[in-house]
Amino acid sequence: MDRHLPGGGLCLGGLHEMADVGAGELYGSAAGLMAAGIMARLAGPVLWAVERADLFPPALAGAGLHPDRVLHVEAPQAVPLVLEEGLRHGGFAGVVGEVARLEPTPARRLQHAAEIAGIPAILLRRPRKAGDPALGAAIAAHSRWRIHRLPSGPVVPEAPDVPGLAPALWRLDLIRCRGAAAASWILEACDETGHLRLPAALAHRPVAPAAAGGRARRAG
């Protein structure tokens, strides 16, 4: 995934939009964990602004972002303004904001402020209702991501038919990125250090044989 993104990874000085797709759309839990994992790998405090008072700190800690590092702000009508002030403050490793809707002008201001600050601003989209068309509206973000939760396989040999025991699986869809084409990856959810990884079934798959007249390709 890093090789696909311009610059060898997620741009630190930019606005990135993330949202759940499917059953978790209204809660943004997978998108929130991905944001927490990204912030966990940066040094310094993190500003996290929300419209609804339902942030669950232990979940952030499970993705590597300890609650002691998080400045939690509840701003039902002013999340974009809080993020902009946080970017201009200069003391944060990054900022995260949870919003249902965002107009084009505030999005452009956030992208500009993130570029100047040189730190990531992650916008978690949490619509008020399922299928909200506002989620599909384009905004001035450096990248836009959609996260699908996938069924995880069994991991305990004694219970081979019991689902949900393996690490959670995500399908990450990059639907827009400056300097890169749209793409998708299937990965295990962020671990306690904030890192994503290939599922074992993909990581341990043998190299595919070379086709006639072609070269071998690495699986996964």
Side-chain angles (χ1 to χ4, degrees):
M1 187 166 65
D2 284 343
R3 287 195 298 269
H4 181 81
L5 295 171
L10 197 71
C11 174
L12 294 184
L15 175 66
H16 305 280
E17 181 201 52
M18 300 178 183
D20 281 51
V21 176
E25 181 181 0
L26 300 180
Y27 307 102
S29 56
L33 291 175
M34 184 171 173
I38 292 169
M39 296 299 169
R41 287 177 275 145
L42 302 175
V46 174
L47 173 65
W48 198 299
V50 299
E51 293 181 331
R52 287 170 272 184
D54 59 359
L55 187 65
F56 188 55
L60 303 185
L65 182 60
H66 196 279
D68 287 350
R69 292 182 51 202
V70 178
L71 176 60
H72 178 206
V73 178
E74 295 177 16
Q77 305 297 326
V79 167
L81 290 176
V82 171
L83 295 184
E84 190 174 348
E85 288 300 316
L87 289 167
R88 292 178 175 174
H89 179 269
F92 295 105
V95 301
V96 181
E98 302 181 19
V99 297
R101 293 172 177 264
L102 186 67
E103 298 300 322
T105 297
R108 286 193 294 269
R109 292 174 62 93
L110 286 174
Q111 170 60 29
H112 182 62
E115 288 177 352
I116 293 175
I119 63 174
I122 297 180
L123 193 68
L124 304 181
R125 302 296 298 276
R126 294 185 56 189
R128 295 291 183 179
K129 60 181 180 179
D132 189 341
L135 195 62
I139 65 170
H142 189 277
S143 69
R144 305 183 70 196
W145 301 80
R146 296 295 179 263
I147 305 174
H148 303 249
R149 288 183 176 271
L150 301 178
S152 60
V155 73
V156 179
E158 292 78 12
D161 299 322
V162 180
L165 299 179
L169 291 183
W170 294 343
R171 192 186 85 205
L172 303 181
D173 290 343
L174 176 63
I175 62 173
R176 179 185 177 277
C177 180
R178 296 181 185 178
S184 294
W185 298 268
I186 294 178
L187 300 169
E188 289 185 1
C190 293
D191 61 16
E192 66 279 1
T193 67
H195 288 83
L196 301 165
R197 67 181 66 189
L198 276 176
L202 294 179
H204 298 154
R205 197 166 63 193
V207 175
R215 297 187 305 173
R217 297 175 299 163
R218 290 192 177 275

